Amino acid sequence: MDYSDSTSPLERHPWPPFIPENAKVLIMGTFPPGSHRWSMDFYYPNRTNDFWFMMGLIFAGDRFALYDKETKLFNLDAIKSLLTEKGIALNDTGLVIRRLKGNASDKFLEIVEPVHLSELLDKMPLCRTVATTGEKAAGVIASLTDTDAPKMGEMVTSADGLEIWRMPSTSRAYPLALDKKAEFYAKMFRHLNII
């Protein structure tokens, strides 16, 4: 695609999709923050994002299960092991984006090219569920699947039987306590027999 019509810098997604062989659910955010905010070279890299604290709480009963308080780093080996064991794939809805204000806010993120969802799902024969982390990601998936974006914590089903869940954003900017965010995600994981 030709994106030369604008002087705003473009960013291409920095990581390949994380796809365990037994993936049952694909969790999709919008796009990573700028690399200056990363504490690791993987999805949800920002220490101020609740995603890995929430996953620790859900699967180990401890928000710090995937985080080392001394080094202040996430344990990437433990994260990948958990995702692989539970069959949780990760990717984002934006493949190529523009940051309209130079920050990580979805509000100021233009998705120039969305993820190629059908190609991605073709790599995951056991996956019939997509979960989005936040409103913008939910809107992108709704447009790609010709569905309505579900309400928070709920699911819609596409014409070809794909279950699409909308989860709360795990950004700290989203005003919901960690345990409440975890309740939404745990409900979906229970539905999928992941927990």
Side-chain angles (χ1 to χ4, degrees):
M1 292 188 168
D2 180 15
Y3 304 121
S4 58
D5 59 330
S6 174
T7 57
S8 298
L10 293 172
E11 291 180 52
R12 180 168 283 275
H13 201 285
W15 307 305
F18 181 82
I19 304 175
E21 196 173 298
N22 62 335
K24 299 178 199 85
V25 60
L26 171 61
I27 297 179
M28 305 189 81
T30 309
F31 199 82
S35 58
H36 64 287
R37 299 211 179 268
W38 298 359
S39 67
M40 64 177 173
D41 197 12
F42 195 67
Y43 292 87
Y44 304 98
N46 191 335
R47 281 187 292 268
T48 62
N49 189 292
D50 280 333
F51 191 84
W52 298 118
F53 297 109
M54 179 190 72
M55 295 291 273
L57 189 59
I58 291 169
F59 291 106
D62 176 4
R63 68 176 288 157
F64 295 109
L66 302 170
Y67 183 78
D68 185 323
K69 289 189 218 178
E70 288 184 23
T71 63
K72 296 186 178 176
L73 296 173
F74 292 110
N75 183 335
L76 187 51
D77 289 339
I79 285 169
K80 288 182 176 181
S81 178
L82 173 69
L83 296 173
T84 300
E85 177 192 339
K86 301 298 183 182
I88 300 169
L90 298 177
N91 200 17
D92 286 316
T93 55
L95 182 61
V96 177
I97 61 97
R98 269 191 196 94
R99 296 185 200 275
L100 304 179
K101 296 260 182 169
N103 62 28
S105 171
D106 280 0
K107 185 177 177 182
F108 302 113
L109 198 69
E110 175 191 357
I111 296 186
V112 178
E113 183 180 346
V115 67
H116 304 146
L117 184 62
S118 58
E119 289 176 21
L120 193 56
L121 291 171
D122 284 346
K123 298 174 184 175
M124 294 179 266
L126 302 177
C127 181
R128 298 302 305 147
T129 304
V130 171
T132 60
T133 62
E135 184 177 4
K136 189 169 196 98
V140 173
I141 295 302
S143 70
L144 294 175
T145 57
D146 198 26
T147 58
D148 293 327
K151 293 179 181 171
M152 184 71 65
E154 296 184 8
M155 164 190 85
V156 297
T157 305
S158 71
D160 63 353
L162 186 67
E163 290 184 350
I164 302 162
W165 290 76
R166 179 176 165 199
M167 298 287 105
S169 169
T170 56
S171 167
R172 294 264 173 94
Y174 186 74
L176 189 65
L178 178 67
D179 62 330
K180 298 297 183 191
K181 291 178 185 181
E183 286 175 16
F184 280 102
Y185 286 79
K187 174 186 172 185
M188 176 192 65
F189 290 141
R190 281 193 294 272
H191 172 78
L192 296 170
N193 296 314
I194 289 174
I195 54 174

